[in-house]
Amino acid sequence: MEMDTAIKRLSAIAQDARLEVFRLLVKAGPDGMAAGEIARNLSVAANTLSAQLLVLSNAGLIRARREGRSIIYAIQYDAMRDLLVFLTEDCCGGRAEMCAPLATIAARCCSTSEGAAHEAPARSRRRR
Amino acid sequence: MEMDTAIKRLSAIAQDARLEVFRLLVKAGPDGMAAGEIARNLSVAANTLSAQLLVLSNAGLIRARREGRSIIYAIQYDAMRDLLVFLTEDCCGGRAEMCAPLATIAARCCSTSEGAAHEAPARSRRRR
DNA sequence: CCAATAATTCGAGAATCATTGAAATATGGA
DNA sequence: TCCATATTTCAATGATTCTCGAATTATTGG
């Protein structure tokens, strides 16, 4: 990934309203949410939100699709994944101080069933 | 982690010079690098760099220690790890689109020896 | 076609941020 | 103590960025 792209994405989420939008859309999943719905959730003006959605879109972190009168925004998982990969590149200059925690993140995510209220099918994954 | 902290850290690395400093220090590892050495590496003025190092410090991403005439900056792995955890929180709103890639990151990191030009002693680590 | 809803674009003003030269502080050695 | 090295602080300037009101575009239903 190019530095330019990474910076674009980082600055996109380095702002309170946009970080909230981002997190909201991460939670919302692939189905996404309409712009108006997002605005209501975060109590931010429609036109302000529009500008912020554009920043996130231009960074490639979210994607818009029209559905009737609404425009639905949804997270782009690949973009986020690429950014995380970029940030952790060369993290092992010989040592594992950073890598070890990464494994923890992966393990915590989707395996700890703390938030598994929505019964994920969970194709048997080997533990630990 | 508080949103404020996350934003502080994200904005800290959402800028070209600082992102380069950050990546350089990630590579450098716990021993860190002197401010002057960083400046030479990135060909940026000492005073400009100083301001940027302060931003990264205030964000908690790096830490300074004096050593003789030099001031050595080193990455703070914990801060970075916490940020990554924060960014991936709630990423599993039921689906694994984002989580699966995370595991890949962890696996790629420290296991793929693609960038192992600096012959890490490699205390026998199981492959793959 | 007209009105209502959903969202975006435009322009301006305020606020924040990055960079620079000049001056200041801290350390180590002669 | 005096000087050179290493780095930071300060103040100013220019560049970005954020937000907001007003106007605009797109879509649906009557």
Side-chain angles (χ1 to χ4, degrees), chain A residues 87-99:
Chain A
L87 288 178
T88 52
E89 252 173 33
D90 301 320
C91 63
C92 302
R95 298 85 166 191
E97 281 90 343
M98 199 156 193
C99 304

PDB file of all heavy atoms in Angstrom, chain A residues 87-99:
ATOM      1  N   LEU A  87      -0.001  -0.844   8.710  1.00  0.00           N
ATOM      2  CA  LEU A  87       0.455  -0.310   9.995  1.00  0.00           C
ATOM      3  C   LEU A  87       1.308  -1.303  10.767  1.00  0.00           C
ATOM      4  O   LEU A  87       2.100  -0.924  11.621  1.00  0.00           O
ATOM      5  CB  LEU A  87      -0.743   0.091  10.858  1.00  0.00           C
ATOM      6  CG  LEU A  87      -1.485   1.337  10.426  1.00  0.00           C
ATOM      7  CD1 LEU A  87      -2.665   1.596  11.326  1.00  0.00           C
ATOM      8  CD2 LEU A  87      -0.547   2.540  10.421  1.00  0.00           C
ATOM      9  N   THR A  88       1.130  -2.563  10.458  1.00  0.00           N
ATOM     10  CA  THR A  88       1.871  -3.565  11.215  1.00  0.00           C
ATOM     11  C   THR A  88       3.034  -4.152  10.418  1.00  0.00           C
ATOM     12  O   THR A  88       3.712  -5.055  10.878  1.00  0.00           O
ATOM     13  CB  THR A  88       0.928  -4.694  11.643  1.00  0.00           C
ATOM     14  OG1 THR A  88       0.231  -5.165  10.494  1.00  0.00           O
ATOM     15  CG2 THR A  88      -0.066  -4.204  12.655  1.00  0.00           C
ATOM     16  N   GLU A  89       3.230  -3.605   9.224  1.00  0.00           N
ATOM     17  CA  GLU A  89       4.354  -4.067   8.410  1.00  0.00           C
ATOM     18  C   GLU A  89       5.651  -3.739   9.121  1.00  0.00           C
ATOM     19  O   GLU A  89       5.769  -2.702   9.764  1.00  0.00           O
ATOM     20  CB  GLU A  89       4.337  -3.323   7.068  1.00  0.00           C
ATOM     21  CG  GLU A  89       3.932  -4.160   5.884  1.00  0.00           C
ATOM     22  CD  GLU A  89       3.804  -3.270   4.670  1.00  0.00           C
ATOM     23  OE1 GLU A  89       4.563  -2.275   4.564  1.00  0.00           O
ATOM     24  OE2 GLU A  89       2.933  -3.549   3.843  1.00  0.00           O
ATOM     25  N   ASP A  90       6.604  -4.596   8.957  1.00  0.00           N
ATOM     26  CA  ASP A  90       7.930  -4.378   9.544  1.00  0.00           C
ATOM     27  C   ASP A  90       7.870  -4.226  11.049  1.00  0.00           C
ATOM     28  O   ASP A  90       8.778  -3.669  11.652  1.00  0.00           O
ATOM     29  CB  ASP A  90       8.570  -3.111   8.965  1.00  0.00           C
ATOM     30  CG  ASP A  90       8.714  -3.200   7.469  1.00  0.00           C
ATOM     31  OD1 ASP A  90       9.068  -4.271   6.978  1.00  0.00           O
ATOM     32  OD2 ASP A  90       8.468  -2.182   6.799  1.00  0.00           O
ATOM     33  N   CYS A  91       6.788  -4.705  11.646  1.00  0.00           N
ATOM     34  CA  CYS A  91       6.668  -4.535  13.082  1.00  0.00           C
ATOM     35  C   CYS A  91       7.596  -5.485  13.804  1.00  0.00           C
ATOM     36  O   CYS A  91       7.785  -5.410  15.000  1.00  0.00           O
ATOM     37  CB  CYS A  91       5.230  -4.770  13.535  1.00  0.00           C
ATOM     38  SG  CYS A  91       4.673  -6.431  13.218  1.00  0.00           S
ATOM     39  N   CYS A  92       8.198  -6.395  13.053  1.00  0.00           N
ATOM     40  CA  CYS A  92       9.003  -7.417  13.692  1.00  0.00           C
ATOM     41  C   CYS A  92      10.478  -7.214  13.435  1.00  0.00           C
ATOM     42  O   CYS A  92      11.185  -8.156  13.130  1.00  0.00           O
ATOM     43  CB  CYS A  92       8.607  -8.781  13.184  1.00  0.00           C
ATOM     44  SG  CYS A  92       6.904  -9.141  13.459  1.00  0.00           S
ATOM     45  N   GLY A  93      10.950  -6.024  13.517  1.00  0.00           N
ATOM     46  CA  GLY A  93      12.377  -5.767  13.245  1.00  0.00           C
ATOM     47  C   GLY A  93      13.237  -6.743  14.014  1.00  0.00           C
ATOM     48  O   GLY A  93      14.248  -6.365  14.589  1.00  0.00           O
ATOM     49  N   GLY A  94      12.844  -7.975  14.023  1.00  0.00           N
ATOM     50  CA  GLY A  94      13.619  -8.980  14.732  1.00  0.00           C
ATOM     51  C   GLY A  94      12.934  -9.439  16.000  1.00  0.00           C
ATOM     52  O   GLY A  94      13.080 -10.566  16.432  1.00  0.00           O
ATOM     53  N   ARG A  95      12.129  -8.563  16.588  1.00  0.00           N
ATOM     54  CA  ARG A  95      11.487  -8.918  17.862  1.00  0.00           C
ATOM     55  C   ARG A  95       9.993  -9.147  17.699  1.00  0.00           C
ATOM     56  O   ARG A  95       9.406  -8.817  16.696  1.00  0.00           O
ATOM     57  CB  ARG A  95      11.685  -7.807  18.898  1.00  0.00           C
ATOM     58  CG  ARG A  95      13.109  -7.552  19.250  1.00  0.00           C
ATOM     59  CD  ARG A  95      13.699  -6.606  18.260  1.00  0.00           C
ATOM     60  NE  ARG A  95      14.982  -6.061  18.725  1.00  0.00           N
ATOM     61  CZ  ARG A  95      15.580  -5.051  18.126  1.00  0.00           C
ATOM     62  NH1 ARG A  95      15.036  -4.489  17.063  1.00  0.00           N
ATOM     63  NH2 ARG A  95      16.729  -4.616  18.582  1.00  0.00           N
ATOM     64  N   ALA A  96       9.366  -9.654  18.713  1.00  0.00           N
ATOM     65  CA  ALA A  96       7.954 -10.007  18.611  1.00  0.00           C
ATOM     66  C   ALA A  96       7.072  -9.159  19.519  1.00  0.00           C
ATOM     67  O   ALA A  96       5.909  -9.440  19.686  1.00  0.00           O
ATOM     68  CB  ALA A  96       7.762 -11.480  18.946  1.00  0.00           C
ATOM     69  N   GLU A  97       7.628  -8.098  20.062  1.00  0.00           N
ATOM     70  CA  GLU A  97       6.859  -7.265  20.996  1.00  0.00           C
ATOM     71  C   GLU A  97       5.511  -6.844  20.415  1.00  0.00           C
ATOM     72  O   GLU A  97       4.529  -6.707  21.114  1.00  0.00           O
ATOM     73  CB  GLU A  97       7.636  -5.999  21.364  1.00  0.00           C
ATOM     74  CG  GLU A  97       8.696  -6.207  22.398  1.00  0.00           C
ATOM     75  CD  GLU A  97      10.025  -6.563  21.759  1.00  0.00           C
ATOM     76  OE1 GLU A  97      10.040  -6.948  20.567  1.00  0.00           O
ATOM     77  OE2 GLU A  97      11.041  -6.454  22.460  1.00  0.00           O
ATOM     78  N   MET A  98       5.533  -6.605  19.122  1.00  0.00           N
ATOM     79  CA  MET A  98       4.302  -6.110  18.543  1.00  0.00           C
ATOM     80  C   MET A  98       3.475  -7.234  17.940  1.00  0.00           C
ATOM     81  O   MET A  98       2.264  -7.163  17.912  1.00  0.00           O
ATOM     82  CB  MET A  98       4.605  -5.087  17.472  1.00  0.00           C
ATOM     83  CG  MET A  98       3.414  -4.234  17.184  1.00  0.00           C
ATOM     84  SD  MET A  98       3.969  -2.690  16.490  1.00  0.00           S
ATOM     85  CE  MET A  98       2.463  -1.742  16.599  1.00  0.00           C
ATOM     86  N   CYS A  99       4.146  -8.230  17.456  1.00  0.00           N
ATOM     87  CA  CYS A  99       3.456  -9.304  16.766  1.00  0.00           C
ATOM     88  C   CYS A  99       2.596 -10.123  17.703  1.00  0.00           C
ATOM     89  O   CYS A  99       1.477 -10.484  17.384  1.00  0.00           O
ATOM     90  CB  CYS A  99       4.471 -10.219  16.104  1.00  0.00           C
ATOM     91  SG  CYS A  99       5.529  -9.304  14.996  1.00  0.00           S
TER      92      CYS A  99
END
